[in-house]
Amino acid sequence: MGVKGFVEGGIASMVAGCSTHPLDLIKVRMQLQGEAAAAAAALPAARVGPMGVGLQILRAEGAGGLFAGVSATMLRQTLYSTTRMGLYDMLKTRWSSEGNGLPLHKKITAGLVAGGIGAAVGNPADVAMVRMQADGRLPAAERRNYAGVGDAIARMARAEGVGSLWRGSSLTINRAMIVTAAQLATYDQAKEAILASRAMADGMATHVAASFAAGLVAALASNPVDVIKTRVMNMKVEPGAAPPYAGALDCALKTVRAEGPMALYKGFVPTVSRQGPFTVVLFVTLEQVRKILPPDF
């Protein structure tokens, strides 16, 4: 099979990631609303919806503010998504029975394995992306003002140690396993079901329908882990001071106690709004790239 699955997945993921980056940024800002550690932040105390957050960003940071951290998104997709998409394709091919499709439980297992490995590889870019996306919500004196993803990673390593690049990695890995298993397995299963029913032919309409199903399932399954991941990655750890959260469980408990259980679904609307288009662009692009690249690539 060569590297075809990795190249296809990487190209599709970078196109999808860049095109939906503003929605991802709005999601991150919403997930940080109400956080006790952000009491002095620039956002008002009242909860603001996706449109309101987007307008706040435009007013305070200009149109370019909607693309804060896009360089980190590019690196993240290059590392994380290229790895997970390629490994999933490799495992799916290897585990498929001769002449038969891959059962759903094997698709889910392939997604869990591929997502976990991809997340471990891409975690430094993920931390940098979250911080760069969140920076504009802070008062000017407290902003990190990273010049780009390279500057963010270098400064984190110098100031907080190389280990800080894998802060929240357990959450990233858990989320990636859930998203990859839900997203890729659901897409394959939905596409197979549509084609088997002969409701639609194997074309754009089928790819879009299967993609929307995959995006919704992935968003529902991953949002609580994503909220905790965002908060742990974004927290500031001052020298000699205890960190705001001792870990993922501590962050989850503090979030639920202070803001209620539904806080774990903060940013769900932009998550769905982003996962839907992201998944559609991802798989539609993937299907088109598959037609272009030779089978033995």
Side-chain angles (χ1 to χ4, degrees):
M1 185 182 65
V3 298
K4 186 173 185 288
F6 292 89
V7 174
E8 291 171 346
I11 292 172
S13 297
M14 283 186 274
V15 171
C18 289
S19 61
T20 59
H21 182 83
L23 294 171
D24 193 51
L25 184 143
I26 290 171
K27 176 204 72 176
V28 167
R29 297 284 179 95
M30 290 186 69
Q31 288 174 340
L32 293 169
Q33 285 182 0
E35 191 178 25
L43 286 177
R47 299 293 186 270
V48 183
M51 289 294 293
V53 171
L55 290 172
Q56 285 181 349
I57 293 169
L58 285 172
R59 284 196 296 266
E61 304 165 51
L66 292 172
F67 286 89
V70 72
S71 62
T73 290
M74 284 290 291
L75 180 60
R76 177 178 180 269
Q77 297 300 342
T78 301
L79 297 174
Y80 158 62
S81 286
T82 299
T83 302
R84 76 176 181 125
M85 298 287 284
L87 283 176
Y88 177 80
D89 192 56
M90 182 183 293
L91 292 171
K92 190 172 69 169
T93 301
R94 182 171 296 179
W95 293 348
S96 292
S97 304
E98 192 68 33
N100 298 312
L102 193 67
L104 179 59
H105 71 276
K106 287 190 176 181
K107 290 173 186 166
I108 292 172
T109 303
L112 292 172
V113 173
I117 294 172
V121 171
N123 201 82
D126 210 342
V127 178
M129 182 185 72
V130 167
R131 290 188 175 196
M132 292 172 74
Q133 289 177 330
D135 213 32
R137 69 188 290 275
L138 297 171
E142 297 179 22
R143 292 177 187 172
R144 296 177 172 107
N145 294 317
Y146 296 130
V149 64
D151 178 52
I153 290 173
R155 283 171 55 185
M156 277 189 282
R158 283 197 304 269
E160 303 170 51
V162 174
S164 68
L165 299 177
W166 275 269
R167 178 173 294 154
S169 59
S170 62
L171 290 163
T172 305
I173 290 169
N174 287 338
R175 177 191 178 276
M177 291 172 71
I178 292 168
V179 168
T180 304
Q183 191 182 65
L184 301 188
T186 300
Y187 176 78
D188 281 345
Q189 199 72 14
K191 180 182 171 184
E192 289 172 12
I194 292 169
L195 295 177
S197 71
R198 298 185 180 179
M200 290 186 282
D202 188 3
M204 186 73 73
T206 295
H207 302 159
V208 170
S211 297
F212 266 119
L216 179 60
V217 172
L220 282 167
S222 67
N223 204 87
V225 179
D226 201 30
V227 170
I228 303 305
K229 176 184 79 75
T230 295
R231 294 188 173 198
V232 170
M233 285 183 169
N234 186 60
M235 69 178 177
K236 280 194 172 184
V237 182
E238 302 293 342
Y245 307 118
L249 180 59
D250 182 53
C251 179
L253 291 173
K254 285 179 177 176
T255 298
V256 171
R257 284 176 190 149
E259 305 165 55
M262 290 309 296
L264 297 176
Y265 274 90
K266 280 188 173 181
F268 181 70
V269 171
T271 294
V272 173
S273 300
R274 184 250 181 192
Q275 277 285 6
F278 176 90
T279 309
V280 169
V281 174
L282 174 70
F283 287 114
V284 168
T285 304
L286 182 66
E287 298 283 3
Q288 297 307 307
V289 173
R290 280 175 176 166
K291 295 177 182 177
I292 297 169
L293 292 179
D296 57 348
F297 183 82

